[in-house]
Amino acid sequence: MSLAEAAMPAPVESRGRAMAAFLAAIGWSGIQPAMLAGDASFRRYYRLSNGSGSAVLMDAPPPQEDVGPYVGVAKILQRLGLSAPKVFAEDRVRGFLLIEDFGDDTYTRLLAGGADEVALYALAIDTLVALQRAVSADGLPDLPPYDEARLLAEAALLTDWYAPAVLGAPLPAAAREEYLALWREILPEAALPGPTLVLRDYHLDNLMLLRGRPGVRGCGLLDFQDAVCGPAAYDLVSLLKDARRDVPPVLCTAMTERYLAALPAIDRAAFGRSAAILAAQRNCKILGIFTRLWRRDGKPGYLRHIPRVWRLIEEDLRAPALAPIAAWLDRYLPQSIRRIPETRNAA
């Protein structure tokens, strides 16, 4: 069912009234939504139960959010044989989706409860392999490219948000341009032959165990609306170089080997360089994102992960290809200021 052509709501319409109107239009009126979660975006999720079943309501308020990409990528993933939530109803104008309820077994919750870490990560690796094999067979989907411009804009979040927060002043323009020029030289080495579908946020918070579904269909995928076409190593480092959780080195090595063994055509040396570069780029980006979430959006909770993010960056900077970035960071963001920004001194 689609409400994409619904009339534009009045400017004064509250989210609560808009939500009630959407639910009434799709036959869920009178159901009290139960808050499930929010995330680092403006999206919020609610569970709806009517006695005979349940569904999840995504509240993605425009103009900050657009549900269209979520619907499109969900269809792609389903066509490739993977488990993305079915979309039961949509209102693209007001920013609401009614989607399949995958339950409560997120990887994050399961691991916190003592679940089998190796088994969960192995399923995530096998799902990633299945995704990339299916794309090779099916052809690249019609999604934006993860190109130099996009990767550079992400890397610049470190200079534009994190650096001023710990330095107490903006970086000089020349220093910022030097940083981006170094990434321009390095990023071509991150591109393995043949781009694939990259989900971009392939980590524990966005993976679910779907009991009763066989094989890789037992891995539920969430938060994939920002998917692009880009380097194959990106989602692997998203999973194993996780900004939110310490992944044991032995497990990281074993899962990388599991991935490479399943895709023997990959040049291992080139893949290793690509993975190191993309991991460093991603975590430089994350330093900026976590700082921006605090400064701009009033969400300081992510700052607690910054020491881990720096540890991950410093690990990847050992790769010879990243020596110029390591030198730049030593000069402008030395060890003495690689810390959580002082929130009490924020303007």
Side-chain angles (χ1 to χ4, degrees):
M1 176 178 183
S2 174
L3 301 179
E5 302 302 320
M8 180 68 70
V12 296
E13 183 176 30
S14 72
R15 288 308 288 172
R17 288 198 299 272
M19 183 185 297
F22 173 67
L23 293 177
I26 62 174
W28 285 77
S29 59
I31 304 297
Q32 183 62 40
M35 184 74 173
L36 273 177
D39 60 22
S41 72
F42 293 92
R43 293 183 297 275
R44 296 294 180 267
Y45 298 87
Y46 303 85
R47 176 168 286 139
L48 306 173
S49 300
N50 63 4
S52 61
S54 66
V56 169
L57 172 67
M58 180 196 295
D59 175 7
Q64 295 92 346
E65 302 291 339
D66 176 8
V67 299
Y70 182 97
V71 175
V73 178
K75 291 178 180 177
I76 292 170
L77 293 172
Q78 291 157 9
R79 187 182 74 240
L80 296 176
L82 302 174
S83 290
K86 297 175 183 176
V87 177
F88 300 131
E90 60 184 81
D91 182 340
R92 299 196 186 191
V93 173
R94 290 180 174 88
F96 294 108
L97 295 178
L98 187 72
I99 63 176
E100 185 179 3
D101 185 357
F102 274 174
D104 297 312
D105 285 342
T106 65
Y107 268 37
T108 301
R109 178 175 295 185
L110 291 171
L111 288 168
D116 187 332
E117 183 180 54
V118 173
L120 288 175
Y121 274 92
L123 177 58
I125 292 294
D126 294 349
T127 302
L128 184 58
V129 169
L131 168 65
Q132 295 182 359
R133 283 177 173 167
V135 170
S136 294
D138 194 65
L140 280 177
D142 184 17
L143 292 171
Y146 214 7
D147 56 16
E148 180 184 275
R150 191 179 293 259
L151 289 163
L152 284 175
E154 292 177 351
L157 294 172
L158 176 142
T159 57
D160 297 350
W161 288 93
Y162 178 77
V166 293
L167 294 172
L171 277 171
R176 182 183 188 274
E177 182 49 43
E178 178 188 354
Y179 171 78
L180 294 179
L182 293 173
W183 277 114
R184 287 188 190 95
E185 293 178 7
I186 293 167
L187 284 173
E189 292 192 60
L192 292 171
T196 188
L197 171 58
V198 176
L199 298 178
R200 293 180 72 192
D201 284 311
Y202 194 74
H203 56 74
L204 300 187
D205 288 350
N206 295 330
L207 299 175
M208 300 194 70
L209 182 63
L210 306 180
R211 303 177 194 277
R213 297 195 186 188
V216 297
R217 293 189 66 247
C219 184
L221 304 174
L222 305 175
D223 199 20
F224 42 70
Q225 62 281 334
D226 295 325
V228 290
C229 292
Y234 192 91
D235 281 342
L236 183 73
V237 300
S238 298
L239 179 69
L240 300 180
K241 300 284 187 174
D242 194 337
R244 298 163 182 81
R245 182 177 190 269
D246 293 321
V247 181
V250 171
L251 180 65
C252 186
T253 299
M255 293 300 116
T256 301
E257 179 58 33
R258 185 183 186 95
Y259 172 88
L260 291 171
L263 297 168
I266 290 178
D267 181 306
R268 290 189 173 220
F271 185 86
R273 287 193 300 274
S274 176
I277 292 167
L278 292 170
Q281 182 272 348
R282 175 177 171 79
N283 283 307
C284 284
K285 170 185 74 171
I286 287 173
L287 286 177
I289 288 175
F290 286 173
T291 307
R292 186 175 67 186
L293 284 167
W294 157 52
R295 295 298 299 267
R296 188 191 70 183
D297 302 333
K299 298 178 179 180
Y302 294 91
L303 294 178
R304 71 184 185 276
H305 300 302
I306 281 180
R308 178 184 299 108
V309 177
W310 268 119
R311 290 196 301 272
L312 292 170
I313 292 172
E314 289 166 358
E315 288 174 9
D316 289 308
L317 292 178
R318 298 170 191 160
L322 286 160
I325 298 295
W328 187 96
L329 290 169
D330 285 342
R331 187 160 65 252
Y332 292 104
L333 292 172
Q335 289 281 348
S336 60
I337 58 172
R338 294 178 185 179
R339 60 176 183 264
I340 297 172
E342 296 289 340
T343 57
R344 64 179 180 274
N345 296 328

